[in-house]
Amino acid sequence: MERLGARALGSLPPAVEVPGYLDEDLRIGIVHFGVGNFHRSHQAMYVERLLNAGTARDWAICGVGLLDRDARMRDALAAQDGLYTLTLREPDGSNRFSVIGAIRRFIYAPDDPAALLEQLASPDVRIVSLTVTEGGYVSDPTTGRSPQDDPLVIEEVAGGLAQPRTAFGWIVAALRERRRRGTAPFTVMSCDNIQGNGRVARLSVEGVARLVDAELADWIAAEVSFPSTMVDRITPVTTQADIDRIATELGVEDAWPVSSEPFTQWVIEDVFAHGRPPFEQAGAVLVSDIDPYEAIKLRLLNASHQALAYIGQLLGYEYVHEAVADPRIAGFVRAYMEQEAVPTLVVPEGFEMEAYIDELFVRFGNPHVQDFLARLSVDSSNRIPKFLVPVLADAVAAGAASGVGASIIATWRAWCRGVGAGQFAIDDVDGEVLVSAAAQEPLGFLRGVPTLTPFLDSPGFVDAYARAANALEQEGPGAFLGAVLVQE
């Protein structure tokens, strides 16, 4: 079977959307750290729309890989002329296929660090973007993380950033080089699921810079823009079934296709110092105040994913759509959304909250997306503090016990206890801390997880949490859910 590539485009079925610009002279305008499935289904797709419309010839993407596992992406894209397939899985079971070519270059940093620095220093590059996950930021006020505590930052700073190890070390090294050359700085645009991700990116970049050169840090603070963004598209991990589907339906071999839900949303704070693509022409929303949109998405979709992840696995479900089809779980998640998350939100004028929540359940229930609950529990020590804890903190500050939210924390503890018993696998930098804390009596979990300790000062929260934790431990997840819904 023919491998996907430029020569194979002509043999694809007519309904498949393909790049129409591959023979044109494009310039790299965006360098992106973290080329995973989400970037390829979301940001790269938006740029693809603009390239095909002829409105972004100066904004092609150069992807960057820093980690050992990124060598696989390097090899997959290199063998396919930078192309890959994107499949939109409709709720009715139909598929929409397209080929994405917006990533015109990929640099695996260990292969050629000099090439990466030169690409970042190019005047053509005016945006450096990131999807490095919640745990990839080296400065984060939510978790207390700071650059001077990060082993990789310590190592790269000790060498004067001659050999950067982190995305933020590379960004600082590139900005230093651009300043030396008299080249205008690029904009740093985070596309990670973090509220105020622009502010968190700024803290990480300036924090690393200050460890190297205070004057450089001051220059970055004055000259570099850090727009916040809100991103949304459920994008599962690629499975063998996805690879087989492309081979069967398109007749080509794609080493790393992407599948996602049809829904997509991108809200961007419009603060770009030296230009940007016309993202709004591709469907993005450019705003001056992004905070309300961020909060809605993170506190409803992302926090609800956490509400689903642990109770769903405790009840034996594997996929998101299976869990949300259980009326007990659906009721639990809806109670969290409507009773606890919504009261903490500032709703933009014209935003239809009830319709948004209903659409979330349609998206969660799409059986063809095949989103694993286990994916949602990866890196929980970073996700819970960013998505759920702010809701709980606001609720407690307003005098509410946050009973459903406290129960979600109890399901997290129960799942971590299951990890300790060999029932589940954990993928988390703080996995040992979580499992150790969960092995203690219920309040030991609140004491052992730093981001949860402030809730020990709320008697109402502690009581609701302890009751839920004990119910899970003594009566099981099914009885626990019944008790929570009766109370609410």
Side-chain angles (χ1 to χ4, degrees):
M1 182 176 294
E2 187 177 12
R3 185 74 173 264
L4 177 65
R7 289 188 302 177
L9 295 180
S11 65
L12 297 176
V16 179
E17 298 178 13
V18 299
Y21 52 81
L22 296 181
D23 293 332
E24 299 180 19
D25 183 20
L26 305 179
R27 292 195 292 182
I28 299 294
I30 301 171
V31 174
H32 183 83
F33 287 87
V35 181
N37 276 10
F38 181 77
H39 168 70
R40 295 192 296 145
S41 77
H42 191 269
Q43 183 189 349
M45 181 276 300
Y46 282 89
V47 174
E48 179 75 13
R49 289 177 177 176
L50 297 178
L51 289 171
N52 268 328
T55 57
R57 295 294 187 254
D58 296 338
W59 295 103
I61 300 170
C62 172
V64 176
L66 302 179
L67 306 176
D68 291 344
R69 63 174 180 262
D70 293 327
R72 181 186 164 208
M73 184 63 70
R74 171 202 63 195
D75 295 343
L77 292 176
Q80 298 178 177
D81 300 321
L83 306 179
Y84 60 91
T85 55
L86 171 62
T87 304
L88 303 187
R89 310 294 307 281
E90 300 286 354
D92 64 5
S94 63
N95 297 311
R96 283 188 284 149
F97 299 101
S98 61
V99 175
I100 308 294
I103 304 173
R104 289 290 78 217
R105 187 184 189 191
F106 186 92
I107 299 175
Y108 181 55
D111 285 345
D112 197 343
L116 176 54
L117 183 62
E118 193 59 35
Q119 179 68 82
L120 287 163
S122 167
D124 291 341
V125 172
R126 287 178 280 168
I127 295 175
V128 171
S129 54
L130 305 125
T131 48
V132 294
T133 78
E134 300 82 9
Y137 290 76
V138 299
S139 184
D140 186 349
T142 304
T143 62
R145 184 184 298 121
S146 60
Q148 57 265 35
D149 299 325
D150 188 295
L152 293 180
V153 172
I154 293 170
E155 182 180 338
E156 64 188 2
V157 166
L161 296 183
Q163 295 181 307
R165 300 293 307 280
T166 69
F168 300 100
W170 275 108
I171 289 170
V172 172
L175 288 170
R176 180 177 63 185
E177 181 62 17
R178 292 173 78 103
R179 183 179 181 225
R180 186 188 70 80
R181 297 183 185 185
T183 302
F186 44 64
T187 291
V188 178
M189 181 175 67
S190 169
C191 297
D192 280 297
N193 279 317
I194 305 171
Q195 188 162 6
N197 55 18
R199 295 186 289 274
V200 176
R202 177 185 288 278
L203 286 172
S204 292
V205 172
E206 291 182 12
V208 172
R210 206 155 293 282
L211 295 175
V212 178
D213 182 338
E215 289 188 5
L216 174 63
D218 291 340
W219 179 79
I220 290 172
E223 300 294 335
V224 179
S225 296
F226 293 85
S228 287
T229 69
M230 188 279 280
V231 297
D232 193 2
R233 171 166 264 181
I234 296 172
T235 307
V237 296
T238 299
T239 66
Q240 186 60 46
D242 294 316
I243 296 172
D244 293 343
R245 183 184 307 110
I246 296 303
T248 299
E249 300 202 30
L250 302 191
V252 293
E253 178 187 353
D254 184 349
W256 205 334
V258 185
S259 293
S260 77
E261 65 170 336
F263 179 91
T264 184
Q265 188 176 26
W266 195 10
V267 183
I268 308 170
E269 184 181 19
D270 197 4
V271 286
F272 293 79
H274 300 287
R276 62 168 176 81
F279 288 127
E280 64 274 21
Q281 295 180 21
V285 178
L286 279 294
V287 298
S288 59
D289 182 10
I290 198 171
D291 289 348
Y293 297 91
E294 283 184 321
I296 288 170
K297 190 261 181 173
L298 297 176
R299 295 187 178 202
L300 290 177
L301 184 145
N302 293 107
S304 294
H305 267 164
Q306 296 302 293
L308 281 165
Y310 310 107
I311 190 62
Q313 291 176 79
L314 289 167
L315 282 169
Y317 295 115
E318 185 177 7
Y319 293 101
V320 172
H321 71 272
E322 294 173 337
V324 82
D326 185 325
R328 300 169 300 174
I329 295 179
F332 179 57
V333 176
R334 189 175 283 274
Y336 159 74
M337 289 183 181
E338 295 178 346
Q339 297 171 22
E340 301 199 356
V342 170
T344 71
L345 296 169
V346 176
V347 182
E349 184 177 353
F351 190 94
E352 297 182 3
M353 182 60 71
E354 184 177 349
Y356 180 80
I357 291 175
D358 288 342
E359 184 174 37
L360 285 179
F361 278 92
V362 172
R363 295 169 64 192
F364 292 161
N366 185 338
H368 304 287
V369 172
Q370 298 282 291
D371 198 8
F372 287 99
L373 290 166
R375 180 186 75 86
L376 307 183
S377 52
V378 170
D379 204 22
S380 60
S381 65
N382 280 297
R383 292 184 174 190
I384 290 280
K386 290 180 174 60
F387 305 151
L388 181 61
V389 166
V391 177
L392 309 186
D394 285 353
V396 168
S402 191
V404 182
S407 297
I408 297 171
I409 297 297
T411 67
W412 186 28
R413 172 183 179 265
W415 179 82
C416 290
R417 288 174 69 84
V419 171
Q423 185 179 359
F424 308 114
I426 193 167
D427 182 359
D428 195 301
V429 66
D430 289 331
E432 292 184 7
V433 172
L434 295 175
V435 173
S436 176
Q440 309 301 314
E441 44 80 32
L443 293 188
F445 190 65
L446 299 186
R447 296 189 188 100
V449 180
T451 52
L452 300 181
T453 54
F455 296 111
L456 288 166
D457 295 330
S458 171
F461 182 93
V462 168
D463 181 63
Y465 162 77
R467 283 189 282 108
N470 287 325
L472 281 162
E473 200 166 330
Q474 297 169 15
E475 303 172 25
F480 151 79
L481 273 180
V484 169
L485 295 176
V486 167
Q487 292 169 11
E488 293 300 323

